[in-house]
Amino acid sequence: MDEVMSSSPTAIADGRILDVLERITGTDQVRRNLDVALFDQGLLDSLGMVELILALSEELGVDISPAEIEREQWTTPRRIIAYVEQRSVA
């Protein structure tokens, strides 16, 4: 029997976050390596970060203000997912 991908709300949200992140960075590397250093690898810069914040706010309905975010909180896809999930529950 084939394994069925989890359709829990968290798994769905993770997928949507990665979809947005992939669209903003222009690479699927963010999906293949959740620990890729986004800024160090040149996949994300300050303008891209603002675009990402706006897109995540629109897509997921999570209120995120660029002024609230420290760059260190968003250095990898894994950290971005954790941050957004934390904001979603708050």
Side-chain angles (χ1 to χ4, degrees), residues 1-89:
M1 181 183 266
D2 293 331
E3 284 188 46
V4 177
M5 179 189 257
S6 173
S7 60
S8 72
T10 302
I12 293 169
D14 290 1
R16 290 176 65 194
I17 293 166
L18 289 172
D19 289 345
V20 172
L21 191 53
E22 187 174 343
R23 189 171 68 239
I24 299 294
T25 62
T27 179
D28 68 343
Q29 186 177 0
V30 297
R31 192 176 290 280
R32 291 182 285 120
N33 180 2
L34 295 180
D35 295 312
V36 64
L38 297 169
F39 295 100
D40 293 346
Q41 296 297 316
L43 301 175
L44 199 62
D45 58 16
S46 55
L47 180 59
M49 187 168 151
V50 172
E51 289 177 38
L52 180 60
I53 291 167
L54 294 174
L56 290 171
S57 293
E58 290 175 11
E59 292 261 337
L60 302 174
V62 178
D63 187 28
I64 303 172
S65 168
E68 299 172 350
I69 298 174
E70 297 293 326
R71 180 174 156 161
E72 293 76 33
Q73 295 172 302
W74 285 45
T75 55
T76 68
R78 187 178 312 278
R79 293 190 79 173
I80 292 170
I81 289 168
Y83 181 89
V84 172
E85 286 179 350
Q86 179 184 25
R87 291 299 303 242
S88 296
V89 226

